[in-house]
Amino acid sequence: MVDMFTKDQRSKNMRAIRSTGSSLESKVTKELWKKGVRFRKNVRKLVGIPDIAIQKYKIVIFIDSCFWHSCPIHGNKPSSNKEYWEKKLQRNVDRDNEVNQYYSKLGWKVLRIWEHEVKHDFEGTIEKIVNWVNVSKSE
């Protein structure tokens, strides 16, 4: 299938995709802050640059995009340039696994939230995160 955008248009679209500070991430972090969860966002000194980090309790949280992290439910692969996208998206999944293993070996707790979880049940997802953080703090 031919791309419906020119190379310049596609390049502009791809440049607009942010790795930090997405609207979804902002929505989640604002609500967690309101609920009393204190954290740091996008801590660059931590491996994988977690979206949310509570270093005192060795807690990291990642909010993963369904597309970029190959969600088993909603992750779709572009039909053009298949070889490139399969390799690119698989590398993202592999990196996620490496990051999870890294933190687990150091005794950190890792939570990964899918984009669709936040979009389909925002309040439920926030409660899930708050409860997980509270349990993880007490362990």
Side-chain angles (χ1 to χ4, degrees), residues 124-136:
T125 303
I126 294 299
E127 286 306 312
K128 172 183 171 179
I129 295 170
V130 170
N131 291 337
W132 181 83
V133 166
N134 289 335
V135 167
S136 296

Side-chain angles (χ1 to χ4, degrees), residues 2 9 23-24 53 88 92 127 131:
V2 178
Q9 289 170 323
S23 60
L24 193 65
K88 169 70 175 157
N92 291 347
E127 286 306 312
N131 291 337

Side-chain angles (χ1 to χ4, degrees), residues 35-121:
K35 301 247 184 216
V37 179
R38 298 298 178 247
F39 54 85
R40 294 288 172 256
K41 290 174 24 176
N42 307 308
V43 180
R44 295 201 177 276
K45 73 177 187 176
L46 293 177
V47 172
I49 310 175
D51 297 309
I52 299 168
I54 307 172
Q55 295 177 65
K56 178 179 179 180
Y57 298 107
K58 295 184 174 184
I59 293 172
V60 290
I61 301 170
F62 295 90
I63 302 168
D64 292 339
S65 155
C66 288
F67 173 75
W68 290 108
H69 296 269
S70 297
C71 168
I73 299 169
H74 300 106
N76 60 358
K77 292 180 176 62
S79 55
S80 62
N81 202 3
K82 280 187 175 202
E83 186 177 319
Y84 168 80
W85 282 109
E86 285 175 4
K87 185 177 176 184
K88 169 70 175 157
L89 296 175
Q90 185 57 50
R91 178 63 190 127
N92 291 347
V93 171
D94 294 343
R95 188 178 310 112
D96 291 344
N97 291 332
E98 290 166 10
V99 168
N100 289 350
Q101 289 173 4
Y102 172 83
Y103 283 114
S104 293
K105 285 179 184 175
L106 295 176
W108 286 59
K109 292 144 193 96
V110 180
L111 178 64
R112 288 195 175 269
I113 299 293
W114 286 108
E115 167 189 20
H116 69 261
E117 291 180 83
V118 176
K119 288 182 175 179
H120 294 304
D121 183 13

